[in-house]
Amino acid sequence: MCRRGWVARLGAGGLTAGCRPWTPTRCEPLVIFVCATAGQGDPPDNMKNFWRFIFRKNLPPTSLCQMDFAVLGLGDSSYAKFNFVAKKLHRRLLQLGGSALLPACLGDDQHELGPDAAIDPWLHDLWEKVLGLYPVPPDLGVIPPGVPLPSKFTLRFLPEAPKMCSEEQHVAGADPPGPPSEQQPFLAPMVTNQRVTSPSHFQDVRLIEFDITGSGLSFAAGDVVLIRPQNQASHVQQFCRVLGLDPDQFFTLLPREPGVPCPTQLPQPCSVRHLVSHYLDVASVPRRSFFELLACLSPHELEREKLLQFSAPQGQEELYSYCNRPRRTVLEVLCDFPHTAGAVPADYLLDLIPPIRPRAFSIASSLLAHPSRLQILVAVVHYRTRLKEPRRGLCSSWLASLDPGRGPVQVPLWVRPGSLTFPETPDTPVIMVGPGTGVAPFRAAVQERVARGQTGNFLFFGCRWRDQDFYWESEWLELERKGRLTLFTAFSREQERKVYVQHRLRELGPLVWDLLDRRGAYFYLAGNAKGMPADVSEALTSVFREEGGLSGPDAANYLARLQRTMRFQSETWA
């Protein structure tokens, strides 16, 4: 069968599936690059070696003169550096002599139809170009629509449960050769799980502390901890019932092709219960590729017809209305298509349902202040749509449900560097703007800087009400009393006109300008990416104009220079 069918069909709904990091050991005649953007316009972790290679200054401008290429970027336009990596890679490949088949495609998660809104027409044009240059050999046929590709793995069910519990052995594991990682997380005992918003406040926010004694974990202010959550037990039972699976049955996982590794998160043998609770993201909102594969597997004519409609380009608005707008989950979709769900072969579970992704949280404590402890601030996601059941964040709801007061609780976690780095010089001031839970990384920074005797700590904190969601109020006021911190607050609901952190920045324009322009301060911003970052940037450029006497273009250039020299850093999330 023609491999083109494999790539094209994956491309329709999830083009990153099946891709691999490209190693430039030889010049390929045709390369399709699929890349995301992380942090402050950084390449993803699995792209960093290639990124360093492709930007080597000694590469001649004819390095890729025999290569055709196309670049597909996966981004989110709520971030300032939207698809920065894809744009920069496209330019660099042209500089090295590569021939672009098409302009770079900039997929946008913020579009109501998701990245597919840009990807669909781009893919159509791409295949026209590719097939014109590289026609399918006459002895190969294209896989027809509606025929599923072979599953990546087969599940070989065991007649009885193994005598040794492989799952407990897998969780405990041997002593890892290095620091904890995604492949070998540390099972951290939860010490406390405390609600820090008042009972009357609309949002449940938790301060959670873990004991990391003996873990080998080390972190600095600005780093993040990654946590892999689990599905609710009731969802696991419901999923098994709808698909006709026995949760207590064990299986071994076998790849169909040599060289394909099994997921490290799954023990061998593994129970169906463990697979669903720890690996399959049944609480996620399914992508278009889910409906495409489900249609291929459906034996029910009416259900298959509807699934095909959802997976077709012309059905995307209806799919958005059915699935994306109300945030309908994989499990709920399967319940809506019971004849299809009951016929899904177990071998296809790992192709159909994505794995649970780890969630990243800013570390809210410093080892200098809390040795052998790691703290995070978690806003529990809970909201309603037109669906009967409220929507809940998988990780935040799971963490909130854990109660170390009722018995030992362990959470798999590991640490990675964040996108915020703080100056080590003792007299360099830092301006930190952290409304809401965005203040978490700045608590770690303040604790670390105070422990090291670093001065010039300026914190702008915003929330709704002083008496309901003023996180760490007593701690900030005590540091202010000791002269270790200068605190500015904005309580948005305590007066008729709403006041936010950007208003405080404008009000304190002379101080902000003096710190940045005369004293070489660093400026940090963390929090929700929806509108706040743009409002803060606008407030800063206003300060530059009014206090620095700069023109509009000069003020924008001044801000850009701060960003370029890493004196303006942000960590925001959608």
Side-chain angles (χ1 to χ4, degrees):
M1 284 290 192
C2 173
R3 202 162 179 80
R4 180 182 76 85
W6 176 77
V7 179
R9 298 249 307 281
L10 277 176
L15 201 143
T16 54
C19 292
R20 58 181 172 81
W22 183 59
T23 305
T25 54
R26 56 190 173 86
C27 189
E28 305 279 356
L30 171 65
V31 182
I32 312 298
F33 296 90
V34 183
C35 50
T37 298
Q40 316 264 344
D42 302 319
D45 288 344
N46 70 341
M47 190 181 181
K48 286 181 177 176
N49 288 338
F50 165 71
W51 198 248
R52 283 190 290 268
F53 173 87
I54 204 70
F55 282 96
R56 277 170 39 185
K57 292 181 179 179
N58 62 349
L59 291 178
T62 56
S63 298
L64 302 179
C65 64
Q66 297 183 37
M67 186 183 83
D68 294 321
F69 74 89
V71 175
L72 167 56
L74 301 173
D76 186 320
S77 58
S78 66
Y79 291 86
K81 294 196 173 182
F82 169 58
N83 266 314
F84 180 80
V85 170
K87 296 172 185 175
K88 190 171 182 179
L89 175 61
H90 186 87
R91 290 195 298 269
R92 181 56 174 163
L93 296 172
L94 289 173
Q95 289 173 357
L96 296 175
S99 177
L101 297 179
L102 294 170
C105 176
L106 305 179
D108 183 7
D109 245 1
Q110 288 299 312
H111 193 284
E112 66 173 18
L113 301 181
D116 285 344
I119 294 173
D120 270 349
W122 186 83
L123 272 179
H124 179 270
D125 294 342
L126 176 67
W127 286 121
E128 280 193 353
K129 293 271 189 180
V130 169
L131 290 176
L133 294 169
Y134 307 94
V136 178
D139 58 331
L140 290 181
V142 176
I143 298 174
V147 176
L149 297 164
S151 62
K152 285 185 184 176
F153 301 97
T154 58
L155 277 67
R156 181 175 295 169
F157 287 100
L158 305 180
E160 57 184 27
K163 294 179 181 178
M164 295 289 292
C165 185
S166 57
E167 289 162 7
E168 291 180 3
Q169 289 178 324
H170 182 79
V171 168
D175 290 335
S181 63
E182 183 170 7
Q183 288 71 37
Q184 188 74 48
F186 176 68
L187 290 176
M190 181 183 286
V191 180
T192 58
N193 187 348
Q194 173 191 3
R195 176 166 176 153
V196 290
T197 46
S198 71
S200 61
H201 191 58
F202 80 101
Q203 188 167 42
D204 180 359
V205 177
R206 302 298 182 98
L207 176 61
I208 299 176
E209 182 174 77
F210 301 101
D211 182 356
I212 57 170
T213 302
S215 66
L217 286 170
S218 178
F219 53 87
D223 288 350
V224 298
V225 61
L226 290 104
I227 293 174
R228 187 184 296 121
Q230 297 174 21
N231 286 310
Q232 292 181 32
S234 60
H235 289 172
V236 174
Q237 289 288 352
Q238 187 180 13
F239 179 88
C240 291
R241 185 170 63 251
V242 170
L243 272 77
L245 297 170
D246 177 359
D248 296 319
Q249 189 165 14
F250 278 77
F251 64 89
T252 55
L253 197 64
L254 302 172
R256 285 193 184 273
E257 295 185 12
V260 175
C262 292
T264 57
Q265 301 96 307
L266 295 179
Q268 292 275 36
C270 178
S271 70
V272 171
R273 187 186 308 278
H274 186 91
L275 171 70
V276 183
S277 62
H278 290 75
Y279 188 78
L280 298 180
D281 197 355
V282 301
S284 63
V285 177
R287 294 187 176 271
R288 180 174 156 192
S289 55
F290 170 88
F291 292 90
E292 187 176 10
L293 179 55
L294 200 58
C296 292
L297 301 174
S298 176
H300 191 272
E301 185 177 352
L302 289 177
E303 290 186 359
R304 182 171 64 252
E305 184 178 328
K306 193 64 179 177
L307 291 165
L308 287 170
Q309 189 176 337
F310 282 148
S311 60
Q314 59 270 26
Q316 291 313 288
E317 289 189 12
E318 188 178 359
L319 175 60
Y320 179 81
S321 178
Y322 166 73
C323 200
N324 297 72
R325 184 179 286 120
R327 310 303 293 169
R328 199 181 301 268
T329 67
V330 165
L331 177 56
E332 289 168 331
V333 172
L334 291 170
C335 290
D336 284 350
F337 293 85
H339 300 92
T340 302
V344 171
D347 289 353
Y348 277 95
L349 288 176
L350 276 71
D351 299 271
L352 186 66
I353 303 171
I356 295 174
R357 292 181 298 105
R359 271 58 166 181
F361 296 91
S362 295
I363 297 174
S365 59
S366 169
L367 288 171
L368 299 179
H370 300 278
S372 301
R373 292 290 189 268
L374 188 155
Q375 297 179 355
I376 56 175
L377 192 66
V378 180
V380 181
V381 178
H382 182 276
Y383 60 96
R384 301 201 74 92
T385 67
R386 62 181 173 84
L387 300 178
K388 180 180 178 181
E389 289 295 319
R391 307 294 90 184
R392 292 182 173 87
L394 175 62
C395 190
S396 61
S397 297
W398 176 66
L399 287 171
S401 72
L402 302 177
D403 184 1
R406 294 183 178 179
V409 173
Q410 292 182 315
V411 172
L413 56 80
W414 63 99
V415 167
R416 76 174 184 209
S419 57
L420 303 178
T421 55
F422 294 84
E424 297 183 0
T425 49
D427 56 351
T428 301
V430 294
I431 303 170
M432 297 164 283
V433 180
T437 55
V439 77
F442 302 137
R443 181 176 182 250
V446 169
Q447 287 183 351
E448 196 167 276
R449 287 173 61 83
V450 167
R452 290 174 173 168
Q454 292 173 294
T455 57
N457 303 308
F458 297 84
L459 176 63
F460 287 77
F461 173 73
C463 64
R464 293 193 174 197
W465 305 93
R466 181 189 298 270
D467 62 348
Q468 292 192 23
D469 54 338
F470 189 178
Y471 311 129
W472 299 303
E473 176 185 10
S474 59
E475 188 173 321
W476 301 135
L477 296 179
E478 178 64 15
L479 288 170
E480 194 173 35
R481 187 185 67 78
K482 293 179 178 179
R484 307 287 182 86
L485 175 71
T486 303
L487 176 68
F488 305 104
T489 54
F491 303 111
S492 63
R493 302 301 198 273
E494 292 197 349
Q495 57 284 313
E496 187 176 345
R497 183 180 67 89
K498 292 179 182 177
V499 175
Y500 298 111
V501 286
Q502 59 266 27
H503 299 126
R504 294 287 185 241
L505 286 168
R506 289 177 187 266
E507 292 169 8
L508 295 155
L511 172 64
V512 172
W513 175 253
D514 180 71
L515 287 170
L516 288 170
D517 197 63
R518 291 185 58 248
R519 297 177 58 187
Y522 281 58
F523 189 96
Y524 298 89
L525 173 65
N528 193 292
K530 190 171 184 181
M532 182 269 298
D535 293 337
V536 168
S537 295
E538 186 180 335
L540 279 181
T541 53
S542 175
V543 168
F544 300 159
R545 291 195 306 270
E546 294 174 12
E547 305 301 330
L550 303 182
S551 66
D554 286 343
N557 289 335
Y558 191 96
L559 180 61
R561 187 163 65 251
L562 290 177
Q563 293 171 327
R564 197 166 51 249
T565 57
M566 299 299 287
R567 285 182 54 212
F568 180 106
Q569 299 177 40
S570 64
E571 184 172 88
T572 58
W573 48 88

